């Protein structure tokens, strides 16, 4: 299933021709759209191509369209593709025989060099005929999940004084300087011979099936801007805070947009206009949320001791668990009773809306020992150090950060779990925790661009520390379940008999051709659900290696063995790698075990500067309690953990630094 988003964003304020009125906020709008895609929809930076002002020539736009979209091997059929343009629109009289419907005018998007002289005449804009042909070719290759968003206009109505208004309008007249030869010379090569639907005119084609078009205004209306931005783009971005984007259709969104201060009415066109926005592709489940159901006056939350929940842990209750769609807080829940795989909580505060079910997200883990951070200042990054200092709790006063862990700033490195120092475009983290310090690189550098990224990195380190050290103090499965690491035969993929783990550790010499498997043996008298994660100590990511099928029976029955890494779906072989020239790296295999199934997505964590991986939505299980009644005597279940450290070295020698 396709699940990625790619975008081509164009914003032009300054035009090359002195005959074109410059604009004031198209570049800002382009940046705002990119920020929304990256921060709200978690689109990777390299999935977005942005062209601004002089970089947005006609040739550059066409080249980027081909390289970034049409010929991009990373884009799979069905992925969401967004093309956004903020700049001038224009129109000229159509030459004879321009296309099958013989329109009176040709509408066009104005690139930076629109109307300027070139070797073959004057540069004509990207005409509606060209753009339709370009996107049709794109759709043939990548599918029809394509959205064209245009914050411009093409033929604004004349005022009562006979002139078309130009100030604050994203439109420019093209005059009589563009000739028929210019239009034909600038026509997209694939547009010749391609018929265009006669149901509509210019960019206002109703029967297009290759994409959906969102236009800033109707025909004859003005697309207005001010210093704050284009009014259409502002309304679109305001809607992300009030409309459920993961449920709304293109047409519903266009009809709901409110444009302030002007006669401007957004338009949505295309055969697929009743499809969910962007095909629903970017609106993936957020793994930080777990189901919660009201039971009498309590809420039963699908997270318990195995997840790190303790009495006093607090959750925020929300309507859904989807990235990129408004999700206001409905209530704050505080855990009062903890069981191995679930917990009971009481409402601490709530809105006026009656709540029966929802999705809960940890806002305060209530970890007993706060995660201690020492800030090391550096003269060259003093301003950024000060901003980070302001975003962390005051010294010796632990507080919960956005990640939910209690963090405390300390004065000395010897008191801390980590020491952090700002450097150019990165955060240097020195680890003092014994388990990590003795087995992993003591200093890691995470790419960060500003203090908010720094806080995310510290949050990730705190959550990593929480899950790394978490264990059941009763150790009910100690020595009754064993874990082994085996090298696989590269041809038969059969695991070797030798268990490479010794005292829960192994050092491997880096070899990109070596593959491995994990063996689990259950010597207990209970059936078990195993959940295996890789905890990357270099980037603080926590990735699932194996998660059982909740619809099946326990995958590790009593007295049985299983192998993770058989090459089958859900059991891929393991490969341990090194990045660049690093001499060695290390991480931890963390195994969770329970006698009752538990959704373990809450444990997952991406690198603090990367994009969360999409997962399938978790069903809201209304059968967790019978007939809506609390369980006075919940069934006896247990949980436990196991862990092994894996170190990978280059050339067989671990560096001492």
């Amino acid at each position: 299933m396709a699940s990625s988003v790619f975008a081509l964003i164009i914003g032009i304020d300054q035009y090359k021709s002195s005959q074109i009125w410059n604009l004031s906020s198209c570049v800002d709008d382009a940046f705002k759209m990119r920020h929304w895609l990256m921060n709200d929809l978690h689109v990777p930076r390299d999935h977005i191509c942005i062209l601004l002002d002089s970089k947005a020539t006609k040739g550059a736009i066409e080249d980027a369209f081909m390289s970034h979209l049409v010929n991009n091997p990373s884009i799979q059929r069905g992925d969401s593709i967004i093309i956004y343009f903020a700049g001038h629109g224009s129109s000229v009289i159509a030459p004879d025989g321009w296309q099958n419907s013989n329109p009176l005018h040709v509408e066009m998007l104005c690139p930076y060099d629109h109307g300027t002289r070139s070797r073959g005449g004057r540069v004509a804009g990207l005409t509606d005929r060209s753009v339709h042909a370009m996107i049709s070719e794109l759709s043939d290759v990548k599918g029809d999940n394509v959205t064209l968003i245009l914050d411009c206009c093409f033929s604004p109505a004349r005022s009562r004084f006979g002139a078309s208004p130009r100030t604050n309008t994203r439109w420019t007249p093209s005059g009589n300087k563009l000739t028929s030869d210019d239009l034909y010379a600038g026509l997209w090569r694939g547009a010749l011979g391609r018929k265009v639907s006669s149901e509509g005119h210019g960019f206002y084609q109703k029967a297009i099936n290759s994409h959906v078009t969102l236009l800033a205004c109707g025909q004859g209306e003005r697309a207005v801007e001010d210093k704050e931005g284009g009014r259409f783009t502002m309304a679109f971005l305001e809607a992300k805070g009030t409309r459920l984007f993961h449920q709304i259709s293109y047409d519903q969104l266009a009809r709901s947009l409110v444009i302030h201060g002007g006669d401007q009415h957004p338009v949505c066109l295309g055969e697929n206009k009743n499809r969910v926005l962007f095909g629903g592709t970017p609106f993936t489940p957020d793994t930080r949320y777990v189901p919660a159901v009201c039971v009498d006056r309590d809420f039963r939350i699908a997270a318990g001791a195995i997840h790190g929940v303790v009495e006093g842990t607090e959750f925020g209750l929300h309507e859904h668990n989807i990235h990129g769609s408004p999700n206001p807080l409905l209530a704050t829940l505080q855990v009062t009773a903890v069981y191995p795989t679930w917990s009971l909580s009481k409402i601490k505060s709530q809105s006026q809306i009656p709540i029966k079910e929802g999705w809960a997200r940890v806002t305060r883990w209530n970890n007993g020992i706060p995660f201690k951070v020492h800030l090391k200042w550096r003269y060259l990054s003093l301003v950024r150090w000060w901003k980070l200092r302001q975003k962390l709790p005051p010294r010796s006063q632990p507080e919960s950060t956005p990640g939910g862990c209690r963090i405390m700033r300390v004065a000395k490195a010897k008191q801390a779990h980590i020491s952090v120092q700002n450097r150019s475009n990165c955060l240097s983290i020195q680890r003092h925790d014994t388990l990590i310090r003795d087995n992993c690189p003591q200093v890691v550098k995470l790419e960060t661009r500003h203090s908010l990224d720094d806080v995310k990195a510290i949050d990730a380190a705190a959550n990593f520390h929480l899950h790394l050290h978490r264990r059941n103090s009763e150790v009910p499965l100690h020595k009754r379940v064993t874990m082994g690491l085996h090298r696989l035969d590269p041809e038969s993929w059969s695991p070797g008999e030798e268990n490479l783990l010794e005292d829960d550790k192994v050092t491997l010499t880096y070899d990109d051709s070596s593959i491995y498997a994990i063996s689990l043996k259950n010597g207990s008298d209970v059936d078990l659900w195993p959940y295996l994660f890789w905890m990357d100590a270099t980037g603080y990511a926590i990735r699932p290696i194996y998660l059982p099928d909740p619809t099946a029976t326990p995958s590790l029955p009593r007295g049985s063995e299983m192998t993770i890494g058989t090459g089958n779906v859900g059991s891929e072989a393991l490969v341990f790698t090194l990045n660049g020239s690093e001499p060695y790296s290390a991480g931890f295999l963390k195994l969770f075990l329970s006698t009752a199934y538990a959704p373990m997505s809450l444990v997952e964590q991406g690198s603090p500067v990367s994009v969360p991986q999409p997962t399938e939505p978790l069903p809201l299980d209304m059968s967790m309690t019978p007939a809506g009644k609390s369980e006075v005597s919940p069934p006896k279940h247990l949980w436990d953990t196991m862990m092994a450290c894996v170190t990978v070295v280059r050339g067989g020698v671990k560096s001492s630094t």
Side-chain angles (χ1 to χ4, degrees), residues 442-517:
Q442 188 173 356
V443 177
V444 294
K445 295 179 180 179
L446 299 181
E447 180 184 348
T448 57
R449 297 177 180 273
H450 44 69
S451 58
L452 288 177
D453 284 345
D454 295 337
V455 172
K456 289 179 181 178
I458 293 172
D459 254 352
N463 277 282
F464 188 92
H465 180 271
L466 174 74
H467 293 302
L468 179 67
H469 289 276
R470 190 153 51 75
R471 57 190 292 270
N472 188 341
S473 60
E474 298 178 359
V475 289
L477 299 173
H478 181 58
K479 294 187 177 180
R480 301 168 72 185
V481 177
T482 57
M483 177 169 61
L485 177 67
H486 308 268
R487 185 174 277 106
L488 292 176
D489 181 277
E491 296 183 1
S492 65
W493 278 49
S494 58
E497 293 185 4
E498 180 188 5
N499 179 7
L500 301 176
L501 294 177
E502 185 175 345
D503 295 329
D504 299 325
K505 294 182 180 181
V506 64
T507 298
L508 304 174
T509 300
Y510 174 62
D511 179 0
D512 58 7
S513 64
S514 294
I515 52 178
Y516 302 86

Side-chain angles (χ1 to χ4, degrees), residues 88 115 272 613 621:
H88 277 309
N272 297 320
Q613 298 299 307
D621 188 0

Side-chain angles (χ1 to χ4, degrees), residues 141-200:
V141 178
K142 304 297 185 181
D144 63 2
N145 192 7
V146 181
T147 308
L148 176 64
I149 304 175
L150 303 178
D151 196 346
C152 60
C153 57
F154 306 99
S155 54
R158 294 181 177 274
S159 71
R160 58 194 180 98
F161 300 105
S164 296
R166 291 181 61 182
T167 305
N168 299 332
T169 303
R170 292 182 173 179
W171 166 84
T172 185
S174 290
N176 299 319
K177 293 183 178 180
L178 288 177
T179 66
S180 298
D181 289 341
D182 295 330
L183 290 174
Y184 277 111
L187 190 63
W188 183 254
R189 56 189 177 276
L192 294 171
R194 185 183 291 269
K195 291 186 177 182
V196 178
S197 170
S198 59
E199 294 187 45

Side-chain angles (χ1 to χ4, degrees), residues 182-252:
D182 295 330
L183 290 174
Y184 277 111
L187 190 63
W188 183 254
R189 56 189 177 276
L192 294 171
R194 185 183 291 269
K195 291 186 177 182
V196 178
S197 170
S198 59
E199 294 187 45
H201 169 67
F203 284 98
Y204 293 82
Q205 295 289 341
K206 299 178 181 179
I208 293 292
N209 60 13
S210 58
H211 63 284
V212 174
T213 306
L214 288 171
L215 298 113
C217 59
Q219 289 180 301
E221 294 181 346
R222 297 170 60 205
V224 179
E225 71 159 14
D226 54 34
K227 292 183 178 179
E228 299 299 318
R231 290 179 180 168
F232 167 69
T233 298
M234 285 194 291
F236 181 92
L237 293 177
E238 286 173 3
K240 73 182 177 64
T242 59
R243 305 292 177 182
L244 295 179
F245 271 20
H246 70 289
Q247 295 179 349
I248 199 169
S249 71
Y250 288 100
D251 191 54
Q252 289 171 331

Side-chain angles (χ1 to χ4, degrees), residues 538-552:
T538 302
Y540 292 119
I542 305 175
R543 307 275 191 209
I545 295 175
Y546 173 81
L547 297 176
D549 179 0
T551 64

Side-chain angles (χ1 to χ4, degrees), residues 274-418:
N274 292 317
R275 181 182 288 172
V276 172
L277 190 65
F278 308 137
T281 296
F283 308 113
T284 56
D286 189 332
T287 61
R288 296 171 295 180
Y289 291 81
V290 294
V293 179
C294 184
V295 181
D296 292 338
R297 296 184 178 181
D298 296 332
F299 269 84
R300 177 165 172 167
I301 302 174
I306 194 171
H307 302 91
V309 175
V310 297
E311 287 189 23
T313 296
E314 293 183 3
F315 288 83
L317 187 65
H318 301 263
E319 180 180 349
H320 61 80
N321 68 328
I322 303 299
H323 278 296
S325 200
N327 202 8
L329 179 68
L330 303 178
T332 298
L333 307 177
Q334 187 171 54
V335 172
T336 56
V338 183
Y339 301 97
T341 58
W342 56 278
S343 57
L344 284 177
S345 63
K346 293 188 179 297
I347 295 177
K348 188 176 179 181
S349 63
Q350 72 174 90
S351 64
Q352 299 299 316
I353 303 173
I355 310 165
K356 294 297 182 183
E357 61 187 51
W359 293 86
R361 175 184 170 183
V362 173
T363 56
R364 179 174 177 266
W365 280 104
N366 199 31
N367 44 310
I369 301 176
F371 186 72
K372 299 174 183 177
V373 180
H374 170 239
L375 294 186
K376 298 169 64 176
W377 75 279
R378 184 168 174 258
Y379 181 77
L380 294 178
S381 55
L382 185 59
V383 173
R384 186 165 156 185
W385 173 87
W386 179 259
K387 289 181 179 179
L388 175 59
R389 183 176 181 271
Q390 295 298 102
K391 294 180 183 300
L392 293 178
R395 187 178 292 174
S396 302
Q397 297 181 29
E399 293 180 6
S400 293
T401 62
C405 279
R406 292 174 68 235
I407 290 179
M408 184 169 74
R409 193 160 54 85
V410 295
K412 299 179 179 179
K414 65 181 182 180
Q415 301 170 315
H417 293 104
I418 61 172

